[in-house]
Amino acid sequence: MLDWPEQIETLTVFFAGHGGVKAGTFYLLPRDASSRLLSATALSASELLSIIAEAAPLQTNLIVDACQAGGVSGDIRALLRPEDLGAKNTPGVTVLAMAARDQSAMEVDDAGIGTFAFLNCIEGKTFVSDNRPTLDLLEIGTRVAEVLAAAGEQSPVLWGLNLFGPRRFCRNPSFGGGGGPLRATLGDWLDSDTQVAVEAAMSDLWRIWDRLDNAEWSPREVIDGLGRVLATLPTGNSRAQLLERLNAAGKLKADSSLDRLRTLDVTASIIVAALRHAGEAAVAASIKSLATEAANEAERVVAEATIAVCADRYALLTRAGGIPDLFLLPLRLTRLLGWAAMVYHIRSENDEVADCDLLRRYINAILEQLPSSVVAISDAQAAPLVCALSAAFQGGATAEAEMLLGTLFNSAIRYKGLFASPSIDPKEILRFLIARQTGVADQVRPSLARPTELLTILLRGAALFGLEDAFDPWLIQFDGTDLNAFLPAAYEEFGDDTIRGGVNAGYRIGTDIFTVSELEAVWQSAPTPIKGEGLIAVFAALLLPDRTPWFLMPKQLPYSAKSVL
């Protein structure tokens, strides 16, 4: 380095290992270093920086991931003399130390968490910026510090001294690529207030977009993240435009996911994020347009699944197969059932003669090809089942709905009403399946849905389709079972993680009710959504397994086939 024939423009030194501070100096420790003889067995930062100073690069980047790495700040004087600071052509220095001088540097999987955070930034896994083709170490370090501070593990130290001119540290992976930069997809905005608000939210929007094809993605990421951004925009028109633009960008990203439902889930999540703004005319129009797109995508997905399962009854199994599918396949079938019904609900809003042929064909296919997997197994099935039963009733698929209800109710009897909680720990699924088979549930009580909404839906479905005589004789099998229905006070918060207003309507079989008709007689109806909120609430229920759109099955004798969306 000292013999390099030309001026060194940028020098980057990265050290990950052991380190420590002694007598005011930071030391980089090799494997055989002695803590008592650091000056003789380790490399001091001041010595390293003195060598760098002799080479005189225009810009030095020093990244240290080691215990007490913040102590290197005290050695910077070896590189920069105070009297030279700010003078023309004096070198610039950027230092990123992953831990404060009095902190240890944590590790995971044999590497420092600071190194992981740093690599995630330069590889594009963590968003830093998208407005320039390159990143500098200061902005990377700032993002690394945010990530580590949020984790609560350690506090990086970031220094930038005597900086001038371009500080290109690495290529910016978020500038271009991946179907085009998100900034270009979002485009320019006509009013300056919206432009400023979107620019301020760009890092949040990028993080939302960048995760859409991730295997661990959750609808909650879009619902919460986009919801916060929408609240910062100045007008309903700007919110409507952002919904449509982000959906267009999201489809490009979600289409690359291995999850066939991902594109549909992303559009639905964007719709749910706008729930609090559903009363704004421009937002309502955009939601209507996005809902139509969602219906078209749902139709494609369910039609593909129907054809696939008719051709091969094992088509909907996971690639790994095995015992997990005993639990996951029934949930997958019910989830598709809910989306098949949603196609009808969306289209019937604008077309009084809309049919539910898709739902009818799907129900027939799974009952014929996978009857042993059409089982009542988890309260996560509650929302899609309500959606399906109401669509079948309104759309005239009575025979199919009755067969479906009978099959699910028979499985509930066979397994003594043992249903999993929507939030069951995946590690407990095998124990739950064994408990269902043996009927001994004491060891898995935390994993059970008690009280249950799923059995509540089956019994209310029996009332809806006039199956009381077939169901009533078997209610003795569920003696003492607590039924439940959470009824929100309103639907503005129906997409939130926690719905604050509402009541749990509970009924015990064998105490409060003894027959299906008695449950219907005492049923406490859910409030009717404000215009525009109902459709979004159903999207939320299909995405989030812990809420049920009971307003789709109101207490009404005789039950009306008119949509309540």
Side-chain angles (χ1 to χ4, degrees):
M1 180 174 67
L2 296 178
D3 292 334
W4 196 258
E6 299 177 359
Q7 171 74 63
I8 299 175
E9 181 177 333
T10 302
L11 173 66
T12 297
V13 178
F14 179 91
F15 175 79
H18 296 291
V21 175
K22 189 171 185 179
T25 295
F26 178 77
Y27 288 90
L28 289 68
L29 278 60
R31 178 178 298 180
D32 58 352
S34 169
S35 59
R36 294 180 299 170
L37 301 171
L38 290 183
S39 60
T41 61
L43 175 64
S44 70
S46 59
E47 182 179 358
L48 173 64
L49 293 173
S50 295
I51 296 172
I52 294 174
E54 187 175 352
L58 293 179
Q59 170 67 34
T60 298
N61 299 310
L62 178 61
I63 304 107
V64 182
D65 188 5
C67 294
Q68 303 179 10
V72 75
S73 302
D75 298 292
I76 295 297
R77 59 183 180 274
L79 190 58
L80 288 176
R81 294 180 303 174
E83 60 267 26
D84 290 335
L85 294 181
K88 183 179 178 181
N89 294 328
T90 54
V93 180
T94 306
V95 177
L96 173 58
M98 299 299 185
R101 68 178 297 147
D102 56 352
Q103 286 183 326
S104 297
M106 308 301 292
E107 292 187 0
V108 59
D109 296 333
D110 297 324
I113 62 171
T115 297
F116 270 118
F118 177 75
L119 292 177
N120 283 342
C121 287
I122 65 176
E123 291 173 359
K125 296 177 182 177
T126 297
F127 176 79
V128 177
S129 156
D130 71 341
N131 57 5
R132 291 185 294 104
T134 60
L135 296 174
D136 68 55
L137 187 57
L138 274 179
E139 56 191 348
I140 293 173
T142 299
R143 190 74 185 96
V144 168
E146 291 175 353
V147 171
L148 296 187
E153 299 288 352
Q154 56 201 58
S155 303
V157 175
L158 180 64
W159 284 73
L161 301 175
N162 208 47
L163 304 177
F164 60 91
R167 303 184 303 278
R168 297 182 293 270
F169 179 76
C170 67
R171 180 185 66 85
N172 186 349
S174 299
F175 185 83
L182 182 62
R183 187 183 300 277
T185 306
L186 292 179
D188 295 326
W189 301 84
L190 295 179
D191 65 285
S192 59
D193 289 342
T194 300
Q195 185 75 43
V196 170
V198 171
E199 186 66 30
M202 188 59 70
S203 62
D204 292 328
L205 291 171
W206 187 277
R207 280 192 287 273
I208 292 169
W209 181 86
D210 192 48
R211 291 264 307 162
L212 295 181
D213 61 350
N214 191 287
E216 303 300 321
W217 176 83
S218 163
R220 179 59 61 196
E221 298 176 37
V222 172
I223 295 170
D224 291 350
L226 178 57
R228 288 191 293 269
V229 174
L230 290 173
T232 68
L233 299 187
T235 67
N237 285 332
S238 60
R239 280 186 275 272
Q241 290 181 47
L242 180 60
L243 293 175
E244 295 177 8
R245 294 186 189 192
L246 187 59
N247 183 62
K251 288 171 64 176
L252 293 173
K253 190 75 168 176
D255 282 346
S256 63
S257 170
L258 295 177
D259 181 358
R260 183 62 185 86
L261 282 168
R262 182 61 57 82
T263 300
L264 173 58
D265 286 346
V266 167
T267 298
S269 300
I270 290 172
I271 291 172
V272 176
L275 179 54
R276 293 180 182 275
H277 309 283
E280 299 170 0
V283 172
S286 289
I287 288 173
K288 184 176 181 180
S289 175
L290 294 179
T292 299
E293 285 191 34
N296 294 337
E297 177 66 13
E299 183 176 41
R300 286 190 289 269
V301 172
V302 176
E304 289 174 13
T306 302
I307 293 171
V309 80
C310 287
D312 177 9
R313 63 185 302 183
Y314 304 113
L316 298 183
L317 295 177
T318 58
R319 291 183 177 182
I323 290 176
D325 272 321
L326 295 175
F327 183 80
L328 297 176
L329 182 57
L331 298 185
R332 195 172 301 121
L333 295 178
T334 313
R335 187 179 180 205
L336 289 167
L337 180 74
W339 285 121
M342 195 59 172
V343 173
Y344 171 80
H345 283 303
I346 294 170
R347 292 179 177 168
S348 64
E349 281 290 284
N350 304 311
D351 183 359
E352 293 184 358
V353 296
D355 63 58
C356 60
D357 184 59
L358 178 71
L359 177 62
R360 182 181 291 109
R361 287 186 285 111
Y362 177 72
I363 293 175
N364 285 331
I366 62 175
L367 288 177
E368 179 180 343
Q369 296 293 98
L370 296 163
S372 60
S373 294
V374 182
V375 294
I377 198 169
S378 168
D379 262 28
Q381 296 169 288
L385 189 56
V386 163
C387 192
L389 293 178
S390 59
F393 186 84
Q394 296 169 22
T398 301
E400 290 77 13
E402 290 177 355
M403 286 292 295
L404 177 67
L405 271 170
T407 302
L408 292 171
F409 188 64
N410 283 337
S411 72
I413 296 170
R414 184 165 67 251
Y415 294 111
K416 300 179 175 58
L418 295 180
F419 310 123
S421 164
S423 58
I424 184 173
D425 185 337
K427 296 177 182 179
E428 294 297 312
I429 289 175
L430 178 58
R431 281 158 49 87
F432 165 75
L433 291 173
I434 294 173
R436 258 172 69 95
Q437 194 66 39
T438 61
V440 180
D442 290 343
Q443 300 300 317
V444 295
R445 289 189 183 278
S447 299
L448 299 180
R450 290 186 173 176
T452 172
E453 292 206 350
L454 181 56
L455 185 56
T456 311
I457 291 168
L458 295 178
L459 299 185
R460 294 212 62 229
L464 180 61
F465 290 94
L467 301 177
E468 295 94 330
D469 290 344
F471 278 47
D472 283 348
W474 296 98
L475 291 191
I476 188 65
Q477 300 291 326
F478 306 105
D479 187 43
T481 297
D482 289 312
L483 307 177
N484 185 64
F486 174 73
L487 309 176
Y491 294 92
E492 185 181 51
E493 298 179 345
F494 208 68
D496 292 359
D497 192 36
T498 301
I499 304 172
R500 290 172 292 184
V503 298
N504 284 296
Y507 313 91
R508 173 167 289 186
I509 297 176
T511 301
D512 301 317
I513 61 108
F514 294 85
T515 65
V516 168
S517 60
E518 288 181 358
L519 173 61
E520 199 65 19
V522 299
W523 181 256
Q524 181 177 345
S525 290
T528 301
I530 298 172
K531 182 66 176 178
E533 289 185 347
L535 188 66
I536 307 176
V538 179
F539 273 117
L542 293 180
L543 290 170
L544 309 169
D546 59 350
R547 61 210 65 201
T548 304
W550 284 107
F551 59 86
L552 289 177
M553 295 176 65
K555 177 182 178 180
Q556 190 170 337
L557 299 173
Y559 184 86
S560 171
K562 183 179 179 181
S563 171
V564 294
L565 294 182

